[in-house]
Amino acid sequence: MRTRIPGLVAAAAVASILLSACGATADKDADTGASGATADSKPATGLQLMVPNAPGGGYDTTARTAAKVLEDSKVTGSVQVFNLPGAGGTVGLQRIVNEKGNGKLAMQMGLGVVGAAYTQKSQATLADTTPIAKLIEEAGAIVVPKDSPYQDINQLVTAWKADPKKLAVGGGSSPGGPDHLLPMQLAKAVGIDPKQVSFVSYDGGGELLPALLGNKIAFGASGFGEFLDQVEAGEVRVLAVTSEKPIEALKDVKTLKDQGIDLVFTNWRGIVAPPGITDEDKQVWVDALTKMHESEGWKAELTKRGWTDAFETGDEFGTFLKEQDTSVAELLKSLGLA
């Protein structure tokens, strides 16, 4: 049976953490109420979007892109974007849960937070939040340095199966994150016990790439966007992408499926709000993001960044979150990490 993961990450003390409110624009609406578009089409105001990791990462890029499109398309006033990193995103998760009833605040999140809630043993869970919307999916990629002996994914898998512990795989996330879940799922798909995989965790693509280029690992597994510049420069080779179909940004690269490996894996990103917000406040977010999704500005960003449109809202997104939570929990339990 084909394995399909459509996007597969401790309550932390946050009293000493300063919230650096790096707004997408000026905070001219910060003191106004969160009100949605009414009959006279007034923009939603006073919205804040928290990013539960450091600036520059995938969540941060997605949140700031969304905020800019919301503002540029006049769907909202200024949207304040700020970062609250720590513990794989669970410091931010705890904050969003603690903000019960705050309809102005939402959190950018994704697969990484799903896994981190288990590996970090977070007291706060995504089940405690209010699902708002899933925005995008992004394919993963299996890459090797240019001087690697492996010319295609099947050569790599043959060597990997012969000695799983010898061929180290690196990822730009901690255990439970997408770059960890991808090689674990790939191992299962090709008949390797995931417990035998030698996984090396790096703090994002900025650390993963030097390790790959320096031959400290045999191959890397991460979002394809992390490698585009190096692919164009001829420094790395992409052996496979993990999407259902080939992606435009790497149109000459075959999928795992096209090379006989029955696995589809795409990372995803979405937005959740605190528990206990009113139906009206929830609808403000849903309506705003729906209008953003329909805008030409958002469509242009999807094309520019190679993101796959995966928009769904409310209860539909809530069902997806529950399915993801179950899938991730089962895998992490099999690895002794949950």
Side-chain angles (χ1 to χ4, degrees):
M1 181 175 69
R2 193 185 78 179
T3 303
R4 176 176 175 85
I5 309 293
L8 293 160
V9 248
V14 297
S16 62
I17 297 177
L18 296 177
L19 303 182
S20 60
C22 305
T25 63
D27 299 339
K28 59 181 178 293
D29 297 315
D31 296 326
T32 61
S35 58
T38 59
D40 53 0
S41 298
K42 290 182 179 178
T45 57
L47 303 182
Q48 296 178 298
L49 191 53
M50 177 172 61
V51 178
N53 60 10
Y59 291 166
D60 189 66
T61 299
T62 307
R64 294 183 188 278
T65 299
K68 184 177 187 302
V69 174
L70 285 166
E71 295 171 9
D72 288 351
S73 57
K74 310 299 183 184
V75 173
T76 70
S78 65
V79 179
Q80 184 189 39
V81 180
F82 67 94
N83 299 79
L84 183 59
T90 57
V91 170
L93 178 59
Q94 185 66 60
R95 165 72 185 275
I96 207 79
V97 171
N98 288 348
E99 291 277 349
K100 182 176 181 180
N102 184 353
K104 298 180 183 181
L105 179 66
M107 181 178 76
Q108 180 71 64
M109 49 75 70
L111 177 60
V113 177
V114 177
Y118 288 98
T119 60
Q120 299 293 328
K121 304 188 187 308
S122 174
Q123 292 183 9
T125 72
L126 286 167
D128 298 324
T129 67
T130 300
I132 299 297
K134 182 170 72 161
L135 300 179
I136 62 163
E137 291 181 353
E138 182 180 48
I142 305 299
V143 299
V144 294
K146 64 180 180 181
D147 56 354
S148 169
Y150 310 115
Q151 299 298 314
D152 61 51
I153 190 65
N154 289 302
Q155 288 181 359
L156 173 62
V157 166
T158 297
W160 197 23
K161 290 174 74 172
D163 194 347
K165 292 186 178 180
K166 183 179 179 181
L167 265 68
V169 52
S173 64
S174 58
D179 290 5
H180 172 249
L181 295 171
L182 170 53
M184 297 303 123
Q185 285 297 132
L186 179 59
K188 287 180 65 177
V190 301
I192 297 173
D193 181 355
K195 291 182 180 179
Q196 299 300 308
V197 173
S198 177
F199 176 76
V200 184
S201 176
Y202 295 94
D203 188 11
E207 287 190 4
L208 174 61
L209 279 167
L212 183 69
L213 297 175
N215 293 299
K216 294 181 180 180
I217 52 178
F219 64 104
S222 189
F224 75 87
E226 299 283 355
F227 307 110
L228 286 178
D229 290 344
Q230 286 69 32
V231 172
E232 292 175 0
E235 296 177 340
V236 302
R237 255 193 333 271
V238 181
L239 301 186
V241 290
T242 66
S243 47
E244 184 82 37
K245 299 177 181 179
I247 56 178
E248 183 64 27
L250 295 169
K251 52 188 172 184
D252 295 329
V253 178
K254 293 181 178 179
T255 66
L256 288 172
K257 281 178 57 183
D258 287 341
Q259 298 180 79
I261 298 173
D262 210 7
L263 174 66
V264 173
F265 182 104
T266 50
N267 191 12
W268 57 270
R269 296 180 196 128
I271 291 176
V272 297
I277 65 172
T278 66
D279 291 343
E280 290 78 11
D281 282 337
K282 178 180 177 180
Q283 201 60 44
V284 167
W285 282 104
V286 170
D287 288 348
L289 293 170
T290 298
K291 291 177 181 178
M292 179 201 76
H293 171 254
E294 294 169 351
S295 71
E296 292 304 316
W298 183 248
K299 293 172 184 176
E301 291 291 347
L302 292 176
T303 300
K304 173 184 174 182
R305 301 178 186 280
W307 291 338
T308 299
D309 186 8
F311 191 71
E312 57 186 33
T313 62
D315 292 343
E316 187 179 10
F317 179 43
T319 298
F320 173 83
L321 274 181
K322 290 176 183 177
E323 293 171 348
Q324 289 287 282
D325 187 75
T326 299
S327 297
V328 171
E330 289 176 353
L331 176 58
L332 292 178
K333 285 176 182 176
S334 73
L335 296 171
L337 296 175

